[in-house]
Structures are given as structure tokens and as C-alpha cells.
Amino acid sequence: MTLATARGEKYAADFEALTESCPVTDWMLELRQSGWDHFDSIGFPTARRGNELWKYTNLTALDQGKFGFQLDGPGDVAPDLLRQRAPWSDDWSTLVFIDGRYSASLSQVSSGDGVKVQNLSDAADSELLRTHLGTHAAVDENAFSALNTAFLMDGGFVQIPENRDDTSPIHLLFVTTPGGSRAIYPRTLVVSGINSRSTVIESYISLGGEGGFTAPVAEYVLNSGAGIDHYRVLVENEESFHIGTTRVYQLDNSTFTSTSFALGPKIGRNDVHVLLDAPGAECTLNGLYLTTGDQHMDNHISTTHAKPHGTSHQFYKGVLSGNSRAVFSGRVLVEKDAQKTQAFQKDLNLVLSHGAEIDTKPSLEIYADDVQCAHGATAGHTDPEALFYMQARGIDEVTAQAMLMRGFASEIVDMISVDGLQDYVHGVVEEAIPRLQAAAD
Amino acid sequence: MVTPNSISRESDLSGGEYKWGFVTEVEQDFAPKGLSEDIVRLISAKKDEPEWLLEWRLKAYHHWVKMVEEQGEPEWAKIRYPQIDYNDIYYYAAPKSSAEAPKSLADVDPEMLATFDKLGIPLQEREKLAGVAIDAVFDSVSVATTYTEQLEKLGIIFCSFSEAVKNHPDLIKKYLGSVVPYSDNFFATLNSAVFSDGSFAYIPPGVRCPIELMTYFSMNAEGTGQFERTLIVADKGAYVSYLEGCTAPFRKTSQLHAAVVELVTLDDAEIKYSTIQNWFPGSKEGEGGVYNFVTKRGICRGVNSKISWTQVETGSAITWKYPSVILQGDNSTGEFYSVALANNHQQADTGTKMIHIGKNTKSTIVAKGISAGQGENTYRGQVKIMPSAENAVNHTQCDSLLVGDQCGAHTVPYIEVRNPSARLEHEASTSKVSDDQLFYLRSRGISEEEAHHMIITGWSREVIKELPFEFAMEAGQLLKVSLEGAVG
């Protein structure tokens, strides 16, 4: 199928305009072209029968030609507004992208200890970039990885040197401003050296109420013994579309610990795949999603154990209210060689209203025999006995409900070990609780 | 079902290959190979069916042709098999003597009786000993039904499907396709067009069926697809326990089996349906074996009704089977207990669906999967809570055991909740037989194979204990025999 339809033409025209007006080095141009060719041949996925990967998520809205790529930029944003609306600390190294374009004036990068944090298009001659970019999130991974690659321009490129032992956060902040239906394609590549430690935050924030389309792709490479504490914060407005792809590649004894928080988009998808490609690697994927109104949040979380002695955890929690819908499709694949694997998978949900729907599918696919794998899933309202207990002690129902929801969410939020970030997410959850309660029944 | 005969069958087992298949030389009355509208008409005519049933078959046939063109066989299951040539299958085979249906056992072809003998079916003196009524389906035509008189006194109807079409057309017309419509899925649609025979049971209001009803499915003629159709209706306040035991003769070519089972319970009624499936799993090298593509579904139509599926699946090259319950009546209950074993090159993709529609509906799923050799075992189950299902409760537990490092064990649950008052719990685990447990038994002088068997039997107990007693004994033996050679 080619996109030679009225609907697909918008993306094709955007791609042509980009190719003409934004020259990049040859290898990047080739990469872009391969991304486009691939997208052009497969198009957007459809939630048709039998399409397991998109069984629960319908993306027809993306195919209407509503969203366009913005060549110029970045636009202006007041620094104070950023500090107010986005997670921020002056102690962090922060790269700011406004509507997909790098803003040097808003970014602040602390130099020292050998860490390189730079805009991707400024590092076109980096051999490391060339080696890894598009390798772990390949163009044939999915339509959005292909589309993102086709529009490759700005993004975060982080290199962590060997043996670095400092966890001061590196923050990649992708902001969408009001005005217009933009399609933006943020890109992130983080390569961490042997036995290094680092903390990386990716955040996606919208400043206006208008809907845009964000299709980020992030690639993380962990060399032997490397450790990354990763945070992904998605706080976009209720009209936006967000289809994110994260690919993590881990070598021996590396540790990837990720906490994801999602609030907002009209349709959101968080597609994460971790490949444990050497013995002794460990990964933890935690997440919290809050949905209300007509929102739709799809968590597509998968871990592949390719080698022995790996450990993985998937732990997601959701609170659903209004007419919203959330999906958790977790997958753990243990390949034949991956003996002594331990894998755990859990998805717990609070469903607060009759209009809400949770579809959870924690699946295990196991080809090795000496393994310990377990998974669990639950769905239900807040515990009536816990409510009664609190009401019997003079706490009114609304407050008691809020306390239970807060407690439920805290289990994930408390895992955030960056102070400024934890406060930010706590604040967002606090703000969201009354809205979730108002739409509950 | 254990009879003196079946016990002796089990005792002389050796070598770990399929032992319970016997090929009997019985002359078959075949319709030509292949499927067409004419074949459907022929099947219907041979069975002397009323016009409405023929029309129903034809509707199914045309729908199936459309499905073949538009989407083909379902591909979502985790199974692999060579393309099935639907025109290389006999859709109708009846024992030649069918022109004059046997009136008593004395009239039955002695060779056929000998086959039943080998299968251990107690038709003559053994019938009382076994205490079950058997509607033996021998390659599509029911040969004899026992205990009918005793059941008739209670108003219970238990007969072959074809007899039911003749004698109880109203009931068939009312319930056929009411749970699994002719357009349901590829294999159910095929079955609806060409189903050969099967069993029908109706338990009238307030009656508790005093014996366990039982059918034996066997597949005999080479290259014969079997398309059974079973319909069980438990009227208000009725109860029945139904056993389905399976064994097929040793055959080289793969055989397609696409059955449909429909269960209906009205107010306060209960159906307990137990299956032991031990069809030819193919050779150790993965040649041949039965393709078991079965649609089984029950509907708890009335309030306080209950449907319980228990299955022990050790046979077939491929099992594609999801016994389901639609919980429509308020306070109704659905249960699914399963042990599925995949050894050598067997593939099993099995599980259940629990669709909660009524208030206070409850479902329980306990699924145990054992993978050995190069077997692939997948639990695939769906629990769906509709917005109307206030206070629905589900508990699901699925455990997998891996024996050997060449096999696969997969768990794919789909949980869809659309009501906030629902309470759902799902848990699953996958591991191998614990070294500690093995060591404990070995240090007490128990051989490794025996120790494995003990552990696996114990691990499956939660499901086995749901089976009627005679079946439970056979199930334990079956697991043991099916796992022979997988350890050590």
C-alpha cells in the first residue's frame, strides 16, 4: 500500500519539503529516505481484526492529513513558563526542544565529567551516532519509528563516558506550543559507556490546549555494567496524539530502570521494547497512567531475554475514569538460550466509572526451561472495606477516595528518585485526582 | 472411564508411543472427497433431514466459502501446520450397514463391536458395570445408545444428533446455533455446513440426571474429517454431568477434527462437561496426528445457572480449543479447569473465554500447561466484563511447567473490563520441576521418571480432582503415559 491517497499526501508533501530545504549529511539523508520508504509502504497501522499489536487502539484520526511538519522554528517560549509547567531544575543539564526544534537559548548544559549532551543534528559527524542511530529502533520496527526517522532532524544525543559515577540528571524536554496542528518527531539516543551511571529524563509537555501529534523515538544503549535511571514523563493536553517508541539495548550486567508517567493525550501509546542481549542484564519497567474523559492510553511493554541470567520486571498501574480506555499489553519473551531468567510482570488497575474500559494482556512466551516467570493483573474499584474503615473514622467519602487513589499512585510515583521530578509528578497527580473523581461514579 | 478392559489396556503400555489406536477393517460408505454445495445436500439427504436444517447447512456453507475467500483460516493462534486441502477430505462416511440401522446390539456388525471392544466401550454386560450410558459415535453414525429407557422414565432425552433431528425437531430448531451461530468462526462454520452426527441431551425442568452421560468420539477412516455436533440443554433446575472421552486409531495422515459443542443452561440449571482427549498426537518425529480445531461454548441463559468445563488434553498434534461460557443470567457461574500437555512435536493453543453479562456473575479459571519434548503449549484466555455485569468476579490462575529445554510455554490472557464494580485477579507462573522436590524424592529411592510423574500429578491435582472419579483415574494414567520418554 502506498500513501498516494488524499490523506497520506500531507505526510508525503512534508517529507519532500524537508528533503529540499533541510540538507543533512549523506548518511542521515539515506536514513531519512529509508524511513520514508518504509512508512510509505506500510502506512499507519489499523485496528483491524487479527492485528494483535493494534487490537485495542484505533488511529484513523492520524490519517486525516490534519497534522503537518513544521520546518521553521524553534518558536519563542518564556523561560518562566517552562519552569512553571515542565519538570525543571537548574541543577540538571537540560536540552529544550520547542515543537520538535532545538532551542539553544532555553537549553542549559553543564559541562564537565566528560558527559556529552548535544543536539543530534549538531553531531552528524559522530561515528557513535552513526553506529547506533536507527539501529535499535529500526525503520522496520513500526510505522512510527519509520515516520520519525523520515523526519529526522533535531533531538537529544547523550554520551556517557566509561566509569562515570554521577547521577545528576540529564533532561530532554520536548515542548509543544499552542497554535496549529503540528506533527513533531523528537528523537533521542543515549549511549552509556562501560560501568557508567546516569539519570536521563525524557519529558513531553504541551503548553496549549490545541491538539498536536507527537511521535518520539528514543534509543538507549547500555554497555557492560552500565546503569541508567530513566524517566519518561508525558503530560500533554487532552486533544493531542502521542505515539512513542522506546528501544533499549542492554549488554552484560547492565541495569536499566525506567519509570514512566502518562497523563493526558487523547490517544497515547507508549511502545517500549527492551532487549537483554547479554548475560546478567537487568531491567525494570514501571509505569503509571491516569485517564479520564475520552482519553485512550495504550502501554505496549515488551522485554526479550536473549541470554542467560537476566532479570526483568514490568510493573504498571492505571487509574481510569470517565469514558476513558487504557490498554496494557505486556510481553516477556524468554528465548531458548536465556536459562536462569527471572521475569515478573504485573498490571494493576483502578476502574472508577461505568464508561471506562481496561484491556490488559500480560503475556509470557517462554522457550527456556530453567526459568522463573510470573505475571499478574487485577482490575477493580477502590476497596469498599478500606473506604468503610476510613469513613468509620470520620473521613468523608471524597477525601477517603482521594487518599486511596493517592496511595495507589504513590507506589509508582515514589519510585522516582530525582527530587524535583518526584515533586512535579506528585503535583500533577494531585491535580488530576479531583478530575478523576468528578468523572467517577 | 475405567473398566476391567481399560485397565488392562493401560497395563501393557510400553515404548511411549500412541497405544490406544486400533484400525478396524470396516467397509465405509463414502461420499466423494471434497466440499461443494452438492456434498452438503448429499449429507443432508443421506440423513433424511428436514428442509430447514438443509437451509441452515447451506447458509453456513456459503458463509464458509466467503470466509475462505476473504480471510482464510484464523491465524492468531500460536500453531503451525501445513495448509489444509479442504477438497482432499471426505465429508461423509457411514458404516456400510447404515442402510438398515441396527435395532439391537445383535444387529451390529461384529467387526465394529470388536473395535468398541478394543476401545473398552462397555456395550453389553459391561454397561452396568461402567454405570454410564454411551452414545458411541463411530465415524459419524451413532451405532447404539444405552440406558435410554432408564433415562426416558425421567424425561431425559439422550440420543444421537440425527435421531434428535427426527424425534425432537422443535428442540433442535430452538437451540441449534443459539450458542455458536453458523457464522461464528472458520471451523465452526465448516462444521455447521457438514456436521455428520453427534449427541443431543435434554434434561427436563427439575430433573437431576442420575448417571453421567457419555459419548465416545472416535475417528477411523483414513482421511476422514470428523465434524461432530453436540448440543446439551439443561432446562430450569436441571443438572447433568457429561463426559466426553476420545481415542483415535493410529493413522499416518493428519486428520482434521472440527467439532462444535453447544451447552445451554436455563434458570438454576447446571451442566458439568468433562473431556479427556487422547487422540493420536503424531509420531515422535512430528508426523501425522489429529488437528483438533474445536469450538465449545456454553451459555448460562438463566439466573443462578452454572456451566463447568473440565478438560485433560494430552492428545492431538494440534489442539485449538477454547471452551467458553457466556454468563448472561444474573448470579450465574462459569468454571474452566484444564490440563493440557504437549510432548514431542505437539502444539496446544487452548484456554477459555468468560463473557460476563449478567449481574453478580462469577467465573473461575484454572489452567495448567505442561510442555515437554519439542511441544508448544499456549494458554490463551479472555475474560470480558460487559458494562451490565455489576459485581462480576473472576479469578484466573494459569501455571506452566517446562520439562526439557526444547519446548515452549506461553501465556496470553486478555482481560477486558468495562464495569468498575468488577473484581478481577489473574495470576500465572512458569517454571520447571523444582530441583529440591526432585532431590527429596530421589533421595528416597524413587526413580527420576517416577519422581517427575509424582510431582506433575500433584501439580495437576487441582484440575484432575474436578473430573468424575473414573475419569480422574484415567487422566492420571494418561499424563504418565504421555510424558514417557520426556524425562532423563
Side-chain angles (χ1 to χ4, degrees):
Chain A
M1 182 187 93
T2 55
L3 282 176
T5 60
R7 296 172 304 156
E9 267 170 21
K10 179 86 176 140
Y11 294 95
D14 281 352
F15 179 69
E16 239 169 70
L18 173 75
T19 313
E20 276 165 28
S21 60
C22 290
V24 280
T25 37
D26 288 350
W27 70 266
M28 269 195 182
L29 205 63
E30 273 168 36
L31 193 58
R32 272 188 192 168
Q33 188 64 46
S34 73
W36 175 256
D37 290 345
H38 198 80
F39 176 73
D40 194 31
S41 69
I42 62 170
F44 287 112
T46 49
R48 71 182 153 76
R49 233 183 126 140
N51 188 353
E52 281 292 311
L53 296 178
W54 293 90
K55 188 178 161 80
Y56 297 112
T57 301
N58 190 332
L59 294 174
T60 30
L62 288 181
D63 213 354
Q64 314 292 329
K66 222 165 73 185
F67 304 105
F69 182 72
Q70 187 181 324
L71 276 170
D72 38 293
D76 265 345
V77 172
D80 286 349
L81 187 64
L82 271 192
R83 286 174 163 73
Q84 196 189 325
R85 300 285 291 277
W88 190 277
S89 165
D90 288 334
D91 301 333
W92 306 344
S93 283
T94 304
L95 292 188
V96 180
F97 300 84
I98 306 293
D99 298 322
R101 302 304 306 272
Y102 174 61
S103 165
S105 59
L106 289 168
S107 303
Q108 51 179 50
V109 178
S110 62
S111 51
D113 75 1
V115 174
K116 266 194 193 166
V117 181
Q118 62 191 132
N119 180 21
L120 194 142
S121 52
D122 296 338
D125 52 358
S126 159
E127 208 39 55
L128 199 66
L129 182 72
R130 194 173 169 174
T131 309
H132 291 289
L133 192 70
T135 306
H136 311 289
V139 293
D140 56 4
E141 192 77 33
N142 61 43
F144 299 94
S145 177
L147 193 61
N148 178 289
T149 308
F151 289 93
L152 193 68
M153 196 151 52
D154 291 350
F157 176 39
V158 180
Q159 302 169 62
I160 315 286
E162 280 181 27
N163 302 316
R164 180 210 190 222
D165 192 16
D166 179 6
T167 52
S168 59
I170 296 154
H171 184 203
L172 307 169
L173 173 59
F174 300 93
V175 178
T176 317
T177 63
S181 306
R182 294 190 190 87
I184 66 169
Y185 306 102
R187 187 83 182 202
T188 300
L189 172 66
V190 177
V191 182
S192 61
I194 294 169
N195 295 329
S196 63
R197 294 282 163 278
S198 57
T199 300
V200 180
I201 306 165
E202 272 175 73
S203 37
Y204 301 89
I205 310 291
S206 52
L207 295 176
E210 281 154 287
F213 166 37
T214 312
V217 170
E219 293 168 282
Y220 289 83
V221 182
L222 289 90
N223 276 300
S224 303
I228 297 182
D229 280 342
H230 170 252
Y231 301 97
R232 189 180 201 279
V233 179
L234 167 59
V235 185
E236 289 188 348
N237 69 54
E238 290 169 24
E239 294 302 316
S240 60
F241 292 80
H242 182 103
I243 313 288
T245 302
T246 305
R247 294 293 177 264
V248 183
Y249 180 80
Q250 290 189 240
L251 288 176
D252 53 298
N253 302 315
S254 61
T255 309
F256 185 75
T257 308
S258 172
T259 306
S260 149
F261 173 74
L263 174 84
K266 184 189 185 82
I267 292 179
R269 173 144 158 141
N270 183 21
D271 177 336
V272 182
H273 177 240
V274 180
L275 173 60
L276 304 175
D277 205 22
E282 181 176 348
C283 92
T284 304
L285 305 172
N286 301 318
L288 175 67
Y289 45 94
L290 311 176
T291 62
T292 182
D294 294 317
Q295 289 167 353
H296 182 107
M297 187 66 213
D298 181 348
N299 301 284
H300 190 76
I301 312 299
S302 106
T303 312
T304 300
H305 288 261
K307 297 282 149 55
H309 294 283
T311 306
S312 72
H313 298 263
Q314 295 178 2
F315 182 25
Y316 270 68
K317 291 182 105 173
V319 183
L320 293 80
S321 184
N323 295 313
S324 68
R325 187 172 179 189
V327 181
F328 174 81
S329 66
R331 177 172 183 242
V332 174
L333 169 65
V334 180
E335 290 182 358
K336 218 173 125 191
D337 291 342
Q339 298 291 2
K340 308 280 179 196
T341 286
Q342 295 196 331
F344 306 95
Q345 198 180 33
K346 199 154 66 167
D347 178 47
L348 311 180
N349 294 282
L350 273 185
V351 183
L352 300 175
S353 65
H354 274 81
E357 172 172 354
I358 173 74
D359 302 310
T360 175
K361 182 192 160 195
S363 67
L364 298 172
E365 216 173 296
I366 296 162
Y367 295 93
D369 65 331
D370 193 2
V371 299
Q372 273 183 28
C373 299
H375 69 190
T378 63
H381 208 285
T382 42
D383 180 5
E385 288 190 20
L387 262 186
F388 177 79
Y389 179 92
M390 287 195 277
Q391 281 180 279
R393 276 148 190 82
I395 299 168
D396 70 86
E397 196 186 338
V398 176
T399 312
Q401 279 278 14
M403 284 170 74
L404 286 174
M405 287 163 68
R406 193 176 298 127
F408 183 83
S410 298
E411 202 179 348
I412 301 293
V413 180
D414 290 349
M415 290 177 183
I416 302 176
S417 54
V418 177
D419 288 344
L421 188 68
Q422 195 191 63
D423 294 345
Y424 174 84
V425 174
H426 259 308
V428 175
V429 172
E430 275 314 309
E431 254 176 59
I433 285 176
R435 274 187 288 137
L436 290 164
Q437 277 185 302
D441 55 30
Chain B
M1 176 210 64
V2 168
T3 65
N5 189 38
S6 65
I7 287 170
S8 69
R9 277 193 282 142
E10 283 148 15
S11 56
D12 61 18
L13 305 169
S14 58
E17 295 232 17
Y18 187 76
K19 291 139 190 144
W20 299 353
F22 306 91
V23 178
T24 311
E25 299 299 328
V26 179
E27 281 178 78
Q28 299 268 346
D29 177 12
F30 292 112
K33 269 187 183 178
L35 185 53
S36 66
E37 192 172 320
D38 288 343
I39 293 284
V40 176
R41 286 180 186 280
L42 177 99
I43 294 169
S44 189
K46 281 257 186 197
K47 304 177 84 65
D48 206 11
E49 286 175 356
E51 190 60 26
W52 64 265
L53 190 53
L54 172 63
E55 267 164 35
W56 193 76
R57 281 177 184 273
L58 288 174
K59 262 198 288 186
Y61 170 72
H62 291 299
H63 191 78
W64 186 76
V65 170
K66 213 173 86 192
M67 284 172 131
V68 170
E69 280 164 13
E70 285 172 6
Q71 59 210 67
E73 294 161 31
E75 285 167 356
W76 41 263
K78 212 175 168 52
I79 51 179
R80 286 182 316 273
Y81 53 93
Q83 184 81 33
I84 297 172
D85 183 355
Y86 291 94
N87 280 319
D88 195 33
I89 294 172
Y90 289 108
Y91 288 89
Y92 182 76
K96 214 170 184 184
S97 51
S98 73
E100 326 156 4
K103 299 188 176 49
S104 71
L105 286 172
D107 296 341
V108 171
D109 192 332
E111 198 161 353
M112 192 179 292
L113 283 180
T115 303
F116 286 138
D117 225 41
K118 287 185 204 162
L119 292 173
I121 298 178
L123 273 181
Q124 293 168 294
E125 300 84 23
R126 292 196 296 267
E127 64 188 11
K128 288 199 184 71
L129 194 89
V132 287
I134 290 164
D135 174 20
V137 178
F138 185 78
D139 272 29
S140 315
V141 168
S142 258
V143 181
T145 306
T146 51
Y147 277 91
T148 358
E149 273 175 38
Q150 198 186 330
L151 296 174
E152 263 170 15
K153 279 185 203 149
L154 292 164
I156 294 170
I157 303 165
F158 179 45
C159 58
S160 76
F161 204 88
S162 337
E163 278 172 57
V165 170
K166 287 199 182 72
N167 304 331
H168 309 282
D170 295 346
L171 284 172
I172 298 287
K173 208 168 171 177
K174 187 170 174 188
Y175 291 109
L176 176 69
S178 69
V179 190
V180 181
Y182 72 84
S183 56
D184 192 78
N185 69 66
F186 190 86
F187 299 111
T189 302
L190 178 63
N191 174 287
S192 302
V194 301
F195 68 86
S196 40
D197 209 335
S199 303
F200 173 74
Y202 171 80
I203 322 297
V207 172
R208 191 179 166 88
C209 185
I211 52 173
E212 323 236 8
L213 299 183
M214 174 175 233
T215 35
Y216 247 91
F217 291 138
S218 77
M219 270 171 280
N220 203 298
E222 182 147 3
T224 310
Q226 281 267 295
F227 304 95
E228 315 294 342
R229 190 97 199 178
T230 301
L231 174 60
I232 302 170
V233 181
D235 212 320
K236 289 179 183 171
Y239 168 86
V240 63
S241 167
Y242 192 90
L243 316 183
E244 176 203 327
C246 309
T247 164
F250 202 116
R251 289 292 177 190
K252 272 184 295 210
T253 53
S254 297
Q255 291 182 308
L256 174 67
H257 186 261
V260 172
V261 177
E262 297 179 281
L263 309 182
V264 180
T265 52
L266 303 184
D267 292 357
D268 307 305
E270 177 176 351
I271 298 175
K272 180 174 170 61
Y273 194 106
S274 314
T275 307
I276 288 191
Q277 187 263 106
N278 178 33
W279 288 332
F280 180 46
S283 71
K284 275 185 172 170
E285 291 73 38
E287 275 169 44
V290 175
Y291 294 177
N292 188 18
F293 299 146
V294 179
T295 306
K296 288 185 168 179
R297 192 176 303 151
I299 182 165
C300 287
R301 194 160 284 165
V303 297
N304 308 320
S305 59
K306 179 175 174 184
I307 289 176
S308 168
W309 298 101
T310 307
Q311 60 173 25
V312 175
E313 302 275 332
T314 60
S316 294
I318 300 176
T319 303
W320 178 97
K321 177 180 171 185
Y322 314 91
S324 309
V325 184
I326 300 169
L327 297 152
Q328 188 188 47
D330 292 348
N331 314 323
S332 56
T333 306
E335 290 176 348
F336 175 77
Y337 298 96
S338 165
V339 174
L341 182 146
N343 195 358
N344 297 327
H345 288 267
Q346 282 177 277
Q347 305 171 54
D349 195 304
T350 182
T352 182
K353 277 186 179 186
M354 294 289 174
I355 316 287
H356 292 253
I357 300 170
K359 295 186 178 69
N360 308 316
T361 45
K362 217 174 122 180
S363 62
T364 306
I365 300 170
V366 179
K368 307 264 181 185
I370 303 163
S371 312
Q374 275 143 298
E376 293 282 339
N377 205 329
T378 306
Y379 167 82
R380 188 183 303 277
Q382 183 183 45
V383 178
K384 193 167 192 162
I385 313 286
M386 302 301 276
S388 54
E390 293 295 329
N391 302 315
V393 180
N394 164 266
H395 179 76
T396 303
Q397 184 194 332
C398 26
D399 297 322
S400 307
L401 204 58
L402 292 140
V403 182
D405 59 1
Q406 302 289 313
C407 51
H410 320 297
T411 315
V412 191
Y414 297 76
I415 302 162
E416 303 177 9
V417 184
R418 296 169 65 185
N419 186 306
S421 62
R423 295 176 73 85
L424 269 97
E425 297 157 353
H426 172 100
E427 50 182 342
S429 70
T430 304
S431 59
K432 66 171 192 167
V433 174
S434 141
D435 287 338
D436 292 350
Q437 288 172 5
L438 268 182
F439 179 76
Y440 180 90
L441 293 171
R442 296 279 282 124
S443 65
R444 274 148 190 82
I446 296 164
S447 73
E448 188 175 353
E449 187 154 6
E450 188 61 30
H452 262 96
H453 178 238
M454 284 172 81
I455 292 167
I456 289 167
T457 309
W459 181 81
S460 317
R461 217 187 81 85
E462 243 179 307
V463 173
I464 306 270
K465 75 179 168 54
E466 295 295 324
L467 288 168
F469 179 70
E470 300 85 345
F471 251 36
M473 281 183 64
E474 185 162 340
Q477 284 299 323
L478 252 180
L479 286 177
K480 184 176 182 177
V481 171
S482 307
L483 273 171
E484 262 175 30
V487 178

